[in-house]
Amino acid sequence: MAEQKEATVTFGVLNETSDTESRVALTPDIVTRLGRNGISCIIESGAGNAAEYTDEDYQDAGATVASRDEVIATADALGFIDRPSAETVAKLKAGQWVIGMLGSFTDTAYVESLSNAGLVGVAIEKLPRQLSSAQSMDEMTSQNSVMGYKAAITAANAYGAFLPMMTTAAGTIRPAKALVLGAGIAGLQAIGTLKRLGAVVTAYDVRPASKGEVESLGAKFLDLGLDFSKGQGEGGYARALSAEEQAQQQAAVDEKASGFDIVITTAKVPGRKPPVLLTKAGVNGLHRGAVIVDCAASDLGGNVEGSAVGEQVTEGGVKLIGAPYLASGVATTASNLLSRNVADVLSHFVRDGKLGMDLTEELDNALVVAGRIETAEKKEEK
Ligand code: NAD
């Protein structure tokens, strides 16, 4: 085993499992990895159970397994899949670091509540994803990738026919035709998985750059006959379409979707209302038994008009599955990737054996949303 440094920072993880969450923000192999960086781990008993990691696994890796209160009392920094509830925040002590998807783009009141409690808030959703030093911290990429894979499996499970073409003694069965709307991280993984299952795949994205990526996976790019050549916004991400553009896009997608057996939508925007890509008219145009998996479904609505979290069957017999929790359904792998992301964010902030920040650094400046403190030397330099 690689040499472990003497621990000077303690990282704590609580049990966040619920009906919809099976992941855990620390897996046993990451305990060992953190140990090499002088970080010891303390985890709430049972936190890894739903992801198939037992308390013994954590102890064998060198972590301390303790009660929730003990974890809160001991940790210098806590890692979360989601963000801590107001009840948990009330129990945390001033000076502790909170690392997770904090919802800082939309919920400034929550960020203020962290600041008011004297906590340091590190918001992973603020990660500058294009920075090469931040690649291993990109939880959005790792979890969207798992989500796209599981979306394809979910669609295949719900669809009442084969995905691959099959020639049998009783005749030839045609392959399923699948349409993936949104060909980012999740969409590309959905395309790859659907292809491996034998479906004939077509995909669409508003970013012109995605055409080549879709085609490199052996899928066809859906030409809507619309010019969204400026569909790419800042940092290579999609820009929000105007109301008029959105209406044009919806009409074209609705019309083209009617020939497909499976539709997967993935244009998910953290904390913001996702764009509607397929309207009710489009859903009604699909045949009985067709399956839609809307990965963006949320309380704010999804990419498909009328979609809600869970499964519904429309009057026309289309299965509409609103599935924002798909990464949690592959909890073992999703947790392992996610805990590596969180651990690398934490390790980035450990300097000379202590937690610290340098707000002149792009990464620090972007990620720290609460409890920002400029170091004494940097203040003097100004
Ligand atoms: P996302 O989850 O925000 O969106 C999913 C996809 O939906 C995106 O491809 C987006 O273009 C698309 N979309 C949004 N609105 C749409 C609309 N109205 N119609 C059709 N499609 C729409 O994005 P993501 O998957 O996390 O990332 C998007 C892209 O960013 C990736 O494909 C990748 O190229 C890039 N990226 C780069 C880095 C990096 O530089 N390190 C890291 C992560 C992602």
Side-chain angles (χ1 to χ4, degrees):
M1 198 194 268
E3 207 183 306
Q4 304 282 298
K5 265 195 200 166
E6 197 194 332
T8 50
V9 171
T10 304
F11 178 52
V13 165
L14 300 172
N15 190 347
E16 288 183 71
T17 56
S18 65
D19 289 349
T20 54
E21 189 53 79
S22 301
R23 293 169 296 172
V24 60
L26 178 68
T27 53
D29 58 328
I30 303 299
V31 172
T32 319
R33 186 181 166 93
L34 287 171
R36 289 197 289 268
N37 294 338
I39 300 165
S40 64
C41 296
I42 181 163
I43 185 161
E44 181 179 349
S45 176
N49 283 352
E52 312 299 347
Y53 300 107
T54 65
D55 285 354
E56 289 71 36
D57 293 335
Y58 287 101
Q59 276 158 343
D60 290 348
T64 304
V65 176
S67 70
R68 191 174 185 85
D69 286 346
E70 278 172 287
V71 175
I72 289 174
T74 312
D76 301 306
L78 290 119
F80 294 88
I81 295 167
D82 203 346
R83 58 191 196 177
S85 65
E87 195 192 347
T88 304
V89 169
K91 288 188 177 164
L92 298 177
K93 295 174 304 205
Q96 277 178 318
W97 287 49
V98 172
I99 303 170
M101 299 285 272
L102 303 182
S104 59
F105 284 117
T106 48
D107 198 349
T108 46
Y110 180 82
V111 173
E112 258 170 51
S113 78
L114 298 182
S115 285
N116 293 341
L119 302 168
V120 178
V122 177
I124 297 187
E125 69 274 12
K126 285 267 172 90
L127 192 80
R129 299 167 81 193
Q130 65 284 359
L131 262 193
S132 55
S133 60
Q135 304 291 299
S136 67
M137 306 172 192
D138 190 351
E139 183 178 325
M140 284 80 76
T141 290
S142 76
Q143 301 307 292
N144 282 350
S145 182
V146 177
M147 178 177 81
Y149 160 82
K150 190 68 171 177
I153 304 287
T154 302
N157 250 339
Y159 185 53
F162 276 139
L163 265 66
M165 186 177 94
M166 284 220 189
T167 305
T168 72
T172 298
I173 293 160
R174 72 162 177 85
K177 285 191 265 177
L179 174 64
V180 175
L181 297 173
I185 305 294
L188 292 174
Q189 195 56 249
I191 294 169
T193 309
L194 287 165
K195 291 279 299 174
R196 289 193 284 275
L197 290 170
V200 174
V201 188
T202 302
Y204 170 72
D205 197 289
V206 74
R207 286 179 300 110
S210 71
K211 185 173 188 283
E213 290 159 6
V214 164
E215 289 173 348
S216 74
L217 290 176
K220 200 175 152 208
F221 192 78
L222 181 71
D223 183 6
L224 291 186
L226 295 170
D227 180 15
F228 288 132
S229 48
K230 296 196 181 78
Q232 196 147 309
E234 245 174 77
Y237 298 103
R239 67 168 169 90
L241 299 181
S242 68
E244 191 189 337
E245 287 172 324
Q246 208 173 6
Q248 285 176 335
Q249 190 190 57
Q250 286 165 353
V253 171
D254 283 354
E255 191 206 321
K256 301 268 184 183
S258 65
F260 290 91
D261 306 303
I262 289 172
V263 179
I264 293 178
T265 65
T266 70
K268 203 173 170 184
V269 191
R272 266 184 291 149
K273 189 173 165 15
V276 172
L277 306 179
L278 191 69
T279 72
K280 277 208 172 111
V283 174
N284 291 336
L286 295 178
H287 66 79
R288 179 169 288 278
V291 175
I292 302 172
V293 177
D294 182 357
C295 298
S298 68
D299 297 341
L300 301 167
N303 292 148
V304 180
E305 196 180 2
S307 88
V309 179
E311 184 172 335
Q312 329 160 37
V313 179
T314 66
E315 270 180 32
V318 174
K319 284 184 195 164
L320 174 51
I321 303 171
Y325 305 120
L326 289 171
S328 169
V330 194
T332 306
T333 307
S335 300
N336 192 236
L337 297 172
L338 181 147
S339 59
R340 178 165 298 213
N341 302 141
V342 174
D344 282 5
V345 171
L346 170 70
S347 300
H348 168 79
F349 285 104
V350 177
R351 286 127 203 210
D352 300 326
K354 280 194 301 213
L355 281 162
M357 66 185 84
D358 176 353
L359 297 176
T360 62
E361 291 291 333
E362 182 182 2
L363 196 50
D364 298 26
N365 193 30
L367 288 173
V368 181
V369 294
R372 292 162 69 94
I373 298 168
E374 287 190 73
T375 55
E377 308 88 78
K378 294 289 163 192
K379 268 188 202 157
E380 272 167 27
E381 274 172 28
K382 281 189 179 175

